[in-house]
Amino acid sequence: GGAGFGGNINAGGTITAGGNVNINAVGYTVTLKGGSNAKSGTFTLVAGSATVSNTSVTANSDIHCTIKTVSGTRAGVPDLVPTPGVGFTAAAVSTDSGTYNYSIIEVNQ
């Protein structure tokens, strides 16, 4: 592969890429690779809860989710509780059986 630069890249630290990194200026787009133990994926709630196995979760993980497919009755975004090295649990109202997208971002502390 190669690298193409259409503008400035300023890094005060390390940039490591084991796959694709796409950042488009003006508004910006970040692409995270999915798959087993990757930094993005989906989960479906069953009676308002789900356990997501993902060993890439760390103590510095910031996990976000958005609704993908509405099913049942929602009451906001599920609460996500991470367990480093294991994954996370999602908890919402018991009537929510929706499917959610998630992304894991590592926060430097």
Side-chain angles (χ1 to χ4, degrees), residues 10-96:
N10 299 311
T14 301
I15 297 175
T16 303
N20 296 332
V21 175
N22 302 315
I23 300 175
N24 302 316
V26 180
Y28 62 87
T29 301
V30 176
T31 303
L32 300 173
K33 186 176 179 184
S36 179
N37 295 317
K39 296 295 185 180
S40 65
T42 62
F43 63 87
T44 301
L45 296 175
V46 176
S49 66
T51 299
V52 178
S53 297
N54 189 319
T55 60
S56 74
V57 173
T58 73
N60 294 326
S61 292
D62 190 4
I63 306 171
H64 299 268
C65 74
T66 57
I67 188 71
K68 179 177 181 180
T69 306
V70 175
S71 182
T73 303
R74 297 180 63 228
V77 178
D79 293 325
L80 305 177
V81 179
T83 302
V86 176
F88 64 92
T89 58
V93 294
S94 63
T95 54
D96 190 345

